[in-house]
Amino acid sequence: MKKIEQGALFLQRHLALFKCPICGEAFREVVGYQLVCQLDHSFDLSRKGTLFMITHKVKSEYDSPEMWQARRKMLTLGLFDPIIAAINEAMPVEEKLNILDIGSGEGTPPAKLKKLRAGIEYTLVGVDISKSAVNLATSYQNDNFFCVADLAALPFADQSFDCITDIFSPAAYHEFKRVLRPHGKIYKIVPNSGYLKELRALLYNEESAHRTYDNSAVLSLFAKNFPDYQKQDIKYTFEFSETDFSSLLMMTPLNWGASQQTKQNVLETPLKQITVDVSLLTAAKQ
């Protein structure tokens, strides 16, 4: 079955998950490869079986095919494996869950989650603002569905998801709460001060604001929205070959503030391991 056919079948089976981002009405039907709402607004499936559901102009620094390919390489090697395992262990084990993956990127985390939950039936929809990332995500041979969407205006019905996963993505908690069912869970990964600290030290001097990271504002905002949250620290060292270091450098926004000369110098002295230092924040909608 072609990707576009798989996408149409997914929409037919899960039509109730979506709402029109133009008028806010429910979708009425799938006509061929087109999703049509109650007021006749329509959205076409791409050949890759994805939906583009942003109704305004978008300029994103994250829409770089090279960056997403680099991220795919490092995540395939296992850079985030312990993070994904921790999310899976924290999730309910029952079947029939609807999971929304915020900032799904090139699709490796939801693909690895699918393998960890083999034998458990659930529905996963991934959203990202980057069309390049969503296109790459469809290269995995699984039944995860992806769409290009703005997390601040999610094209989903109220109370339509049991779980939300969010690895390093920004948050629009008013939207997250809207689409979560009562007592639905959110699983958010935030970086701690030690995240990729070796790379920070190579790219920036001690006077640079990029040399360190403080997540207190992120934690405070999460706590404001979910006062009864739980926090699990996850810290480990990930080893890789020198030839993969360029992919690590390219995949992370950490390099955006460094000069081209600095990045070139860094590539000449590649790292062989990196510290991953994050926290998993888990909370339930009240």
Side-chain angles (χ1 to χ4, degrees), residues 32-60:
Y33 302 132
Q34 194 173 70
L35 189 60
V36 184
C37 86
Q38 300 287 353
L39 297 185
D40 290 329
H41 299 121
S42 62
F43 296 84
D44 295 330
L45 279 163
S46 73
R47 288 182 298 174
K48 294 181 178 291
T50 65
L51 286 173
F52 187 93
M53 304 189 79
I54 296 180
T55 59
H56 55 83
K57 278 191 173 183
V58 174
K59 185 177 181 181
S60 172

Side-chain angles (χ1 to χ4, degrees), residues 55-73:
T55 59
H56 55 83
K57 278 191 173 183
V58 174
K59 185 177 181 181
S60 172
E61 295 174 302
Y62 289 92
D63 203 23
S64 163
E66 295 77 17
M67 185 193 77
W68 291 118
Q69 287 287 357
R71 194 174 182 86
R72 166 68 62 90
K73 184 172 186 179

Side-chain angles (χ1 to χ4, degrees), residues 202-204 258-267:
L202 287 177
L203 289 171
Y204 303 105
S259 68
Q260 285 299 121
Q261 185 59 56
T262 297
K263 287 185 277 190
Q264 186 58 45
N265 293 341
V266 165
L267 286 171

Side-chain angles (χ1 to χ4, degrees), residues 174-234:
H174 63 289
E175 279 291 88
F176 292 5
K177 291 177 182 178
R178 180 182 66 77
V179 302
L180 271 178
R181 290 173 177 163
H183 310 296
K185 295 287 189 71
I186 179 171
Y187 306 90
K188 182 172 177 61
I189 296 291
V190 298
N192 293 326
S193 60
Y195 182 66
L196 306 187
K197 62 181 181 180
E198 299 87 350
L199 186 57
R200 289 182 185 275
L202 287 177
L203 289 171
Y204 303 105
N205 59 38
E206 293 183 1
E207 290 74 34
S208 173
H210 298 294
R211 180 70 176 248
T212 58
Y213 175 72
D214 181 0
N215 66 7
S216 57
V218 176
L219 292 176
S220 177
L221 183 60
F222 193 88
K224 181 179 179 181
N225 283 275
F226 302 99
D228 297 325
Y229 78 96
Q230 295 180 322
K231 179 172 173 282
Q232 175 187 347
D233 292 331
I234 305 166

Side-chain angles (χ1 to χ4, degrees), residues 124-139:
L124 186 143
V125 179
V127 298
D128 203 284
I129 202 169
S130 168
K131 186 176 180 180
S132 298
V134 168
N135 284 340
L136 185 55
T138 64
S139 63

Side-chain angles (χ1 to χ4, degrees), residues 54-282:
I54 296 180
T55 59
H56 55 83
K57 278 191 173 183
V58 174
K59 185 177 181 181
S60 172
E61 295 174 302
Y62 289 92
D63 203 23
S64 163
E66 295 77 17
M67 185 193 77
W68 291 118
Q69 287 287 357
R71 194 174 182 86
R72 166 68 62 90
K73 184 172 186 179
M74 294 307 298
L75 268 58
T76 300
L77 289 174
L79 179 61
F80 288 176
D81 280 8
I83 294 174
I84 300 164
I87 292 173
N88 178 57
E89 289 171 6
M91 275 187 170
V93 295
E94 64 261 27
E95 299 181 357
K96 305 297 184 182
L97 292 176
N98 289 335
I99 301 173
L100 176 61
D101 187 39
I102 297 290
S104 53
E106 46 69 52
T108 298
K112 293 209 171 197
L113 183 65
K114 177 70 70 174
K115 289 185 177 180
L116 290 175
R117 298 180 76 80
I120 301 175
E121 184 181 349
Y122 67 92
T123 298
L124 186 143
V125 179
V127 298
D128 203 284
I129 202 169
S130 168
K131 186 176 180 180
S132 298
V134 168
N135 284 340
L136 185 55
T138 64
S139 63
Y140 282 109
Q141 300 302 312
N142 56 44
D143 57 0
N144 293 335
F145 184 85
F146 297 94
C147 56
V148 182
D150 184 350
L151 64 84
L154 293 169
F156 304 112
D158 295 356
Q159 300 183 16
S160 51
F161 288 93
D162 302 286
C163 302
I164 288 178
T165 55
D166 176 343
I167 299 178
F168 298 147
S169 290
Y173 292 123
H174 63 289
E175 279 291 88
F176 292 5
K177 291 177 182 178
R178 180 182 66 77
V179 302
L180 271 178
R181 290 173 177 163
H183 310 296
K185 295 287 189 71
I186 179 171
Y187 306 90
K188 182 172 177 61
I189 296 291
V190 298
N192 293 326
S193 60
Y195 182 66
L196 306 187
K197 62 181 181 180
E198 299 87 350
L199 186 57
R200 289 182 185 275
L202 287 177
L203 289 171
Y204 303 105
N205 59 38
E206 293 183 1
E207 290 74 34
S208 173
H210 298 294
R211 180 70 176 248
T212 58
Y213 175 72
D214 181 0
N215 66 7
S216 57
V218 176
L219 292 176
S220 177
L221 183 60
F222 193 88
K224 181 179 179 181
N225 283 275
F226 302 99
D228 297 325
Y229 78 96
Q230 295 180 322
K231 179 172 173 282
Q232 175 187 347
D233 292 331
I234 305 166
K235 188 173 183 179
Y236 54 94
T237 299
F238 181 72
E239 298 182 354
F240 49 90
S241 69
E242 290 185 4
T243 56
D244 294 321
F245 176 62
S246 60
S247 294
L248 176 70
L249 180 62
M250 184 176 291
M251 68 160 269
T252 172
L254 275 181
N255 75 71
W256 292 356
S259 68
Q260 285 299 121
Q261 185 59 56
T262 297
K263 287 185 277 190
Q264 186 58 45
N265 293 341
V266 165
L267 286 171
E268 293 174 1
T269 55
L271 295 171
K272 297 180 182 178
Q273 62 181 31
I274 198 75
T275 298
V276 179
D277 179 14
V278 303
S279 289
L280 168 60
L281 310 181
T282 304

